[in-house]
Amino acid sequence: MCLTRPENEPRNPVPADDSFFMMQKALQLLEESVKAAMRQRDGSPAVSGQPVLERFSAPLGEVDATRWLSAQRLFPRLFWMNREKSEWIAGIGEADRIEISETGPNDRSFLVLDEAMQRKNPHARYIGGFCFNNLQKQNDLWKAFSPGLFILPLVSVEYRDGQASMSCSVWLKPDDDRQKALEQLLLTLSEVSAGDAPEAPAIPEVTQVAYCPDKTRWIENCETILRNFDEGKLDKVILARQTELSFAGKVPAIRFLLDYPFPENTAYRFYFEPAEGHAFVSFTPERLYRRDGDMLETEALAGTVTKEALKADDSAASEFLLNSEKDIREHRFVKDTIYRELQPVCSNIDMQEQVGVLQLNRLAHLLARCKARLLPEFSNDSTVLRQLHPTPAVGGVPREKAMSLILSIEPFCRGWYAAPVGWLSRDAAEFAVGIRSALVNDDKVYLYSGAGLVRGSNPESEWEEVDQKIGDILAITQQTS
């Protein structure tokens, strides 16, 4: 699929050979730019005494970024696309990283990230994510994923403001040898593929499927939560499930990105492969927030109907959701909480009063959009992350009690599932909520999805909803269509 053109516009895909030569030309231009920089001395950090970002770019036409990414052998491999498909970036290698390795409250992780970003170049975009709850010790399944990890790609292909480009970056600290760093960048560029590598192998056959928790324990956990509702301790809790797929051989993680079966879906695409064979991928419909300076966009997304179970088209699914007392109540918890959390840090909060419906291939959700202006002292990402994560759509109400119950009752580590994933620079950011996701570890894939429990929820129905929510990713393994 060519990714530089909005999905609703007619396409004239570039032939594979033209795309290859275009990439090849861009790589040549980058090499020439780096060689020219090597002949200049004024960009050295030793002169300024401060870290320096040197970035080189070359224009591109219409290209297939996922195909280019799959041809690369340099890790990490990263990909991000917004829901509107108007911005994307595919990146390889590491020019710089921000890593949070210690456990502790999420608020502390957010603050560490924000403090680090203040020392970075304002034009540098870092891609990455957090774990859902940094009070939970990350287990071996997530060993390749720190509690917080953001990467500035060494080489990237990106599309922004209607223009595609290829870029490379070098981040120079005061003690770094600029000439050696640029020589290494030049060597790396010589090893970057223009996209002509053989296609990634197919996903092997699934040999076993296991659930954590299994259905019996799921129902028991749901009943425990429902008793908490009856006792007035909680109003809403999101209970999640881990589905473990075993395969006949190692799984090429990039195939999940290449073979996503519903490209028209209104969903983000996030792919983070820090080491070969270990990747987290999410096709999430849910925006956590978008920040441009002090302008903030967020939303309340909750309440779900499965079109297949309802035997419904989009219109019937919308009618069902907009008249479902249970789903409207579930959505109201999310909407009211977001509004309340934004009040101390924002002015001019404009929360959409009339609830709409977000249509996906298999599912539909209730949606209310929100725009606000951050107060001057709160125009930073640590504030927004602290106020919004986790929303009641992935945590619960009240927040702290729900988080504590989830930690005690779920028999697996959520890792990056349902956590903020996306990109940020010093003055702008966009984070999605990492749901509808999978963790690839060699010959195993772990699928994650959850269901929102409120008073009156049916454990059997919630189990079926969780099945539907992993349907798109499961389809990639050829187990469903």
Side-chain angles (χ1 to χ4, degrees):
M1 181 183 69
C2 293
L3 299 176
T4 65
R5 196 182 294 270
E7 289 288 329
N8 58 352
E9 289 188 9
R11 297 171 176 275
N12 293 299
V14 175
D17 53 343
D18 286 357
S19 181
F20 168 74
F21 289 124
M22 188 191 307
M23 289 286 197
Q24 204 171 45
K25 178 63 174 176
L27 283 167
Q28 290 172 355
L29 290 172
L30 290 181
E31 290 177 3
E32 290 169 7
S33 296
V34 174
K35 288 175 181 176
M38 291 171 68
R39 295 191 291 268
Q40 300 172 352
R41 301 286 176 175
D42 55 353
S44 172
V47 175
S48 65
Q50 299 294 325
V52 171
L53 174 68
E54 293 199 43
R55 183 175 170 84
F56 310 91
S57 294
L60 286 172
E62 190 169 335
V63 295
D64 188 334
T66 55
R67 178 185 169 189
W68 175 83
L69 188 65
S70 72
Q72 309 308 319
R73 305 312 304 157
L74 181 62
F75 294 86
R77 297 194 294 191
L78 319 167
F79 185 81
W80 159 269
M81 178 190 280
N82 66 4
R83 276 189 314 203
E84 298 77 19
K85 305 171 184 65
S86 61
E87 284 190 8
W88 51 258
I89 179 170
I92 57 172
E94 180 182 310
D96 188 32
R97 72 162 47 196
I98 302 170
E99 186 169 16
I100 299 159
S101 54
E102 67 275 7
T103 58
N106 283 346
D107 292 1
R108 175 59 186 161
S109 299
F110 302 152
L111 187 60
V112 168
L113 175 68
D114 214 42
E115 290 172 346
M117 286 304 301
Q118 297 311 308
R119 300 188 293 271
K120 304 301 182 183
N121 185 287
H123 303 295
R125 284 194 177 192
Y126 289 73
I127 304 167
F130 295 96
C131 64
F132 176 77
N133 185 352
N134 202 20
L135 292 176
Q136 180 178 40
K137 183 175 174 55
Q138 305 304 293
N139 63 15
D140 283 346
L141 292 185
W142 295 94
K143 63 184 178 182
F145 297 84
S146 304
L149 181 57
F150 289 81
I151 301 294
L152 174 65
L154 192 65
V155 183
S156 63
V157 175
E158 53 190 288
Y159 182 74
R160 196 191 317 173
D161 300 325
Q163 178 62 53
S165 62
M166 179 181 283
S167 302
C168 60
S169 302
V170 60
W171 178 254
L172 298 166
K173 301 184 181 79
D175 293 333
D176 289 344
D177 186 318
R178 180 174 180 270
Q179 288 297 107
K180 285 186 178 179
L182 291 175
E183 286 172 8
Q184 182 59 49
L185 179 59
L186 202 58
L187 178 62
T188 299
L189 287 173
S190 71
E191 297 172 350
V192 172
S193 170
D196 58 334
E199 189 173 357
I203 294 176
E205 181 183 356
V206 175
T207 58
Q208 186 176 345
V209 179
Y211 302 105
C212 184
D214 61 19
K215 191 171 183 179
T216 299
R217 187 168 176 186
W218 169 271
I219 292 173
E220 291 172 355
N221 290 345
C222 287
E223 290 172 346
T224 297
I225 292 170
L226 291 172
R227 284 195 295 273
N228 274 268
F229 297 155
D230 292 339
E231 294 166 7
K233 297 177 181 178
L234 291 156
D235 295 313
K236 179 181 180 180
V237 174
I238 305 301
L239 193 62
R241 189 187 77 191
Q242 174 184 278
T243 302
E244 179 183 332
L245 306 179
S246 299
F247 291 82
K250 286 190 175 183
V251 176
I254 196 70
R255 289 247 61 104
F256 283 89
L257 189 59
L258 293 169
D259 297 342
Y260 182 55
F262 307 111
E264 308 300 328
N265 249 0
T266 309
Y268 291 92
R269 293 181 223 180
F270 178 79
Y271 182 87
F272 197 92
E273 187 177 10
E276 186 172 9
H278 302 276
F280 178 74
V281 57
S282 173
F283 301 106
T284 172
E286 186 174 356
R287 166 183 281 162
L288 184 61
Y289 71 89
R290 168 79 186 229
R291 180 180 73 87
D292 289 288
D294 62 355
M295 295 306 299
L296 185 69
E297 294 180 45
T298 184
E299 65 192 29
L301 186 75
T304 303
V305 65
T306 304
K307 296 177 187 178
E308 183 179 340
L310 200 62
K311 294 181 173 60
D313 59 12
D314 288 359
S315 177
S318 293
E319 184 177 356
F320 176 87
L321 275 176
L322 293 170
N323 290 281
S324 166
E325 187 275 334
K326 182 257 184 187
D327 289 293
I328 291 171
R329 181 157 41 94
E330 182 182 343
H331 184 266
R332 173 61 67 175
F333 283 132
V334 179
K335 185 178 176 182
D336 290 350
T337 299
I338 289 174
Y339 187 85
R340 185 170 60 250
E341 292 294 340
L342 290 181
Q343 279 185 314
V345 299
C346 290
S347 62
N348 305 321
I349 303 173
D350 181 17
M351 176 68 80
Q352 184 180 341
E353 187 59 38
Q354 186 170 356
V355 177
V357 177
L358 179 70
Q359 297 288 349
L360 302 173
N361 179 68
R362 299 170 181 269
L363 308 167
H365 304 288
L366 292 172
L367 171 68
R369 303 182 191 276
C370 178
K371 294 184 178 181
R373 184 183 295 275
L374 289 159
L375 295 170
E377 63 270 33
F378 296 121
S379 296
N380 58 71
D381 291 296
S382 63
T383 292
V384 184
L385 288 163
R386 182 187 70 228
Q387 296 301 111
L388 292 182
H389 176 73
T391 72
V394 293
V397 179
R399 178 190 288 181
E400 296 306 323
K401 287 185 178 179
M403 290 284 276
S404 178
L405 183 58
I406 289 168
L407 196 58
S408 67
I409 205 169
E410 287 184 351
F412 62 91
C413 176
R414 285 196 179 192
W416 281 26
Y417 162 69
V421 296
W423 65 264
L424 81 162
S425 62
R426 191 189 298 177
D427 299 320
E430 184 163 15
F431 282 93
V433 182
I435 56 176
R436 319 291 157 82
S437 53
L439 173 68
V440 180
N441 275 336
D442 293 327
D443 62 349
K444 293 186 183 294
V445 175
Y446 302 86
L447 309 182
Y448 296 91
S449 57
L453 301 178
V454 294
R455 189 189 298 269
S457 291
N458 181 300
E460 291 269 359
S461 298
E462 303 298 346
W463 178 270
E464 293 169 6
E465 180 179 311
V466 168
D467 273 340
Q468 287 295 325
K469 285 177 176 176
I470 62 173
D472 288 0
I473 296 184
L474 198 58
I476 300 171
T477 69
Q478 302 177 343
Q479 299 309 293
T480 64
S481 60

